[in-house]
Amino acid sequence: MEGLLLLIALVLAVWLLNLNGRIKILEERISTLVDRMNAGAVPPVAAQRDRAQTPIETSTPHAAKAYASRKAARITADVPIAEQNPVTEPLAPAAPAGDAPEKPSRSWSFEELVGGKLPIWVGGISLVFAGFFLVRYTIEAGLLGPGTRSVLATLFALLLIAGSQWGGRLTKIGESFSADPRIAQSLAGAGVAILYGTLYMAAEIYGLIGLPVTFTLLIATTILAFALALRHGPPTALMGLVGGFAAPWVAGLGANNVPALLLYLGVFLAGLFGLALWRRWLWLLLLASGGGAIWTIGLIATAESALPLIGLFVIVAGSAAVLVGDRFANSDPRLEAMARYAPMGLALVQLAMLLPRLEFSWIGWAFYGALSAGAIALALRDERHLPNLFGALLVCLMPLAAGWEGSAPRGMMAGASIGIGLLFAIPAHARAIEDRAGRAYWAMLALMAQAIPFVAAFSVAKADFSDLGWGITSALLVLPAGFIAWRWRQAASRIDQVTQVASAALAAAFAWLALTHILPNDYFASVTLAVAAALAAWATRTSGEGMQKLAAIPAGFGIFALLVGSWQFLDTLFEALGGDQLMLSELPELGDAAKLTLLPAGLALATALLPHFALGRIMRKALVVAGGAGLLAFVWLVAKQIAHIDSPSQFITLGLAERVAMTQALFLAGWLALRQAGESASIYAKAGLAATALALLRLVWFDLGVFNPLYVPQALGPAPIANLGTVHLGLAAFWLWQLARNPIVKNAYPHLPKTADIGSLILMALAALVTVRQLVQGNLISGATIDVGENYLYSAALLALAIIWLAVGIRGGLSILRLAGLALLTLVTLKVFLIDASALEGVLRILSFMGLGIALIGIGWAYGRVMRAGAAPE
C-alpha cells in the first residue's frame, strides 16, 4: 500500500512539475519585458494597450502574478526570441522587419526535469511519509510516550511550515527559497499533511484530546492549509490533499471508529471544497470528491456498525460537491461537466452499494430517495443537471433487482419500487407537458421512471405474484406512457418524434404484458398481432415512418407465434407430404385451432389488407402470407370433418373423393378470384394465382404422387366415364386452359399461358388413360397387370384424343392443339408399331395395320388441305 501511495504521489508530482516550469518561464519573460519597457524598447502603443487591458485584480501582488501568467502567450508573440531569456548578456540588435522570428526552444529539458525539479517534489513527499512512518515506528518500538510523540510530530510539522514561510530570510540558504518557490511549497504541503495525521493520532489512538478539542483543531488545521494554499498555490493544496486523505490510513484506523473518521473527513472535505471554490480550482474539487468516495466505499465494504451514518455522510458530501461544482459555470467545459455529474454519480453508486449492507431497509431507500430528490430539485432549477436523473434511475436498477431477488420483505420492495417510480415520474410528467425546449428529455425520464422499477421487479420476482396482479399492474402503466404518446402525436422535431415512438413502444409493451397475463396462453399470438395492429393504426394517425417500423416488431413476433401455435398443422402437413394417411383423431381440435390459428390469422389478414393500418410493404406481404396460410389451414380442418375419415377402410372409400373436392374447390376459388380481378393486378389476382398454384400442387403431389390410385387402393366410382379420376383430371385440365386465357396472366406473366396450355393437354391425356383403366379394372384401379385389350384401348383413346385435338385446332385456329394433336398422333403411331402390333398375329395384325394406315392417310389429307387453305390468303 505504501508503494501505491508513493506511485500516485510521484505521478501527481510529475504533472505539477510541467505546470510550475511553465510558470517559471513566464515569470522570467515578464521580467525581461519589464526591463525592455524601462529601456523604452516596447512601442508606446503596445504598452498603452496592455495597461488598458489589465484587469483591476492586478492591484495585489498575487493577482498580478496570475494575470501575468494568463498574458504570457500574447507577450511572447510580441517579444523576440533573444529577449525571452533572462538578461545575462547585452541585448542583441533587433532583427530586420522582413526577417521571420526564430522558433522558440523547448521550455525544459530532461536534465532540467530530473536534475532540478523532480528531486524537490520527491523530497517534499518523502518528508510527509517520513513524518508518518516515524510516528508509527515510535509506536511500534515504544520509544516515546503518546504525548511526546504528538508534541514532536506537531513541532516537526510547524517547523516545516515555518520554513516554508520564512526560509527565504535565512542566511546562505535563503537565496534558494527565493530562487525556487517549489521548496517552500513542498515544505508547506508536507507540514499540513503531518498536522492532519498528528491530530488524528492524538485524538483516536491515544485519546489525549476530546472530541470538541479535536474538532476545533481540525478546523484550525484546515484554515491553516487554506491560508498556505492561498499563498503557495496548487502544489501546497495538492500536498495537503494527499496528506489529509492518507492520515487515517497511516494511523492504522478506519472501520473501527466510523463516527470520528466521518467527522474528520467531513471537515477535511469542507476545507477542500472551500479552497477549490475560493481559488476557482476545479481540479481540487474533483480530486477531493474522488478521495472522499474512496474512503466511504471502503467503509461501506468493511464497516459493521454506524452504516446509516455513512449513508448520511454520503448524501451531505455528495450534495456539497454538486453545489460547489455548480458554481464553476465558466470553467473548462469538460471539467465543468465532470464537476456537475461525477460527484452525484459517485454518491449514487455509494448509496446503491450501501443498500444491501442495510438489508434494503426503509432508511437505505430514504437515503437514496433524498439524494435523488436533491438531484431532481437541481435539474428543475437548471436542466444541465438532467443527466444526473437518468444516471440515478439507471444506478437504481441494480439495488432494486438485488432486493427483489434477495430476502428483502416483499412489501418493502414494492413500496420502494413504487416510491422510486413516482419520485421521478411526477416531476418528469409535470415538465414534459410544458411547452419548453427540453420537454422531450423530461418525457424520456418519465418513461424510464415507469420502466426501470417494473423491469427490476418483473425480471426476478415474477413468480412471487399472480399473473392477474402483473396484468393489472401492466395495464395501469399503459396510461402514462400512452398519454405521452398522445401528447406527441403531432411531433415535428426529430427528438419529439423519437419521444413519440419510445412512448408508444412502452405503452404497447405494457399492453402486451397485461393482455398476455390476463388472457390464457392460447391467445398469445392474437394478443401480439393485436398490439401490432394498434401500433399500425397509430402510425396512420401520426404519419410517422418510425411508428411503422415499430409496428413491424410485434407483427414479426406475432407471425412467429402464429407458426408456433399452429405446430400441429405443420406436423400434419409434413406427415401428409411424406405419404401418411391422416386420420381425423390425429388432427387438431377445432376449438384449439380457432384460438391458436384462425383468430391470429384473421388479425394478420385484417392488418395487412385494410387501409386503416400503416405497414411497410415487406411486412404487409408477410402478414398476408401468414394469415392466408393460417386461414386456409383452418378451412382445410373444417373440410376434413365432412368425410370424417378415421380408419384405413374409410380412407379407401372416401380418401380420393375428399381430396378431389378440396382440390377442385381451390381451383374454383382461384378462377372466381381471377374473374373478380378483371384486368387489374389486384389482391384478387394474387389470391387467385395462389389458390390455383396450391390446387395444382395438391394434384401433382398427392393424386399423381404419394396417393396415386394406381398403387394406393382408393375408390374411383362405378361409372366408366363419370368417375373421380376422369372428372378430377378433366376439370383440372379445364381450369388450366382457362388460366392460360386470362388477361391478367397474359399481361403480368407472358410465359405462364404456354405452360398452362401444356399442363392442360397433359391432364387431358391422363384423363383419357384413367378412363380406360377404370373401364377395364373397375372401382379400384390398383391392379398390377395390363392385358392386350386394355393396351389397345389406351392406343384407341389416345388416337381419338389426338383426332379431337386436330379437329378443334383446325376449326378454331389454335396452333397449340394442332401441334399437340400431331405430337400425340406420332406417339400413338410409334406405340402401335413397336408395342401393340408385336402382340398380334395373322389377320388381326394385317387388319390393324390396314386400319391405322387408312386413318393416318385421312388425317394427313385433311391436315394438308387445312395448311393449303391457310397459305392461300397469305
Side-chain angles (χ1 to χ4, degrees), residues 785-852:
T785 60
I786 299 177
D787 56 18
V788 176
E790 182 179 351
N791 190 22
Y792 268 97
L793 287 176
Y794 287 142
S795 299
L798 292 177
L799 180 61
L801 181 62
I803 295 173
I804 293 173
W805 283 352
L806 286 171
V808 175
I810 292 172
R811 183 180 297 274
L814 300 175
S815 60
I816 184 70
L817 285 180
R818 296 199 305 267
L819 295 175
L822 289 175
L824 184 59
L825 182 62
T826 303
L827 291 176
V828 172
T829 303
L830 293 175
K831 177 179 180 299
V832 169
F833 275 102
L834 299 177
I835 300 176
D836 299 346
S838 62
L840 298 176
E841 296 180 357
V843 178
L844 292 178
R845 177 180 293 181
I846 296 171
L847 292 176
S848 65
F849 278 102
M850 184 181 297
L852 180 62

Side-chain angles (χ1 to χ4, degrees), residues 403-486:
W404 281 109
E405 189 174 12
S407 58
R410 289 298 178 254
M412 174 64 69
M413 293 307 304
S417 299
I418 295 173
I420 290 293
L422 293 177
L423 177 64
F424 287 92
I426 292 176
H429 276 287
R431 276 300 177 92
I433 62 177
E434 298 178 2
D435 189 11
R436 53 191 304 125
R439 64 172 188 162
Y441 299 102
W442 287 102
M444 289 288 189
L445 181 67
L447 297 177
M448 287 182 59
Q450 291 179 236
I452 286 181
F454 180 85
V455 168
F458 185 81
S459 59
V460 297
K462 184 180 183 300
D464 295 344
F465 302 94
S466 64
D467 288 344
L468 181 61
W470 287 114
I472 294 175
T473 304
S474 301
L476 292 176
L477 292 175
V478 173
L479 300 177
F483 173 75
I484 294 178
W486 178 80

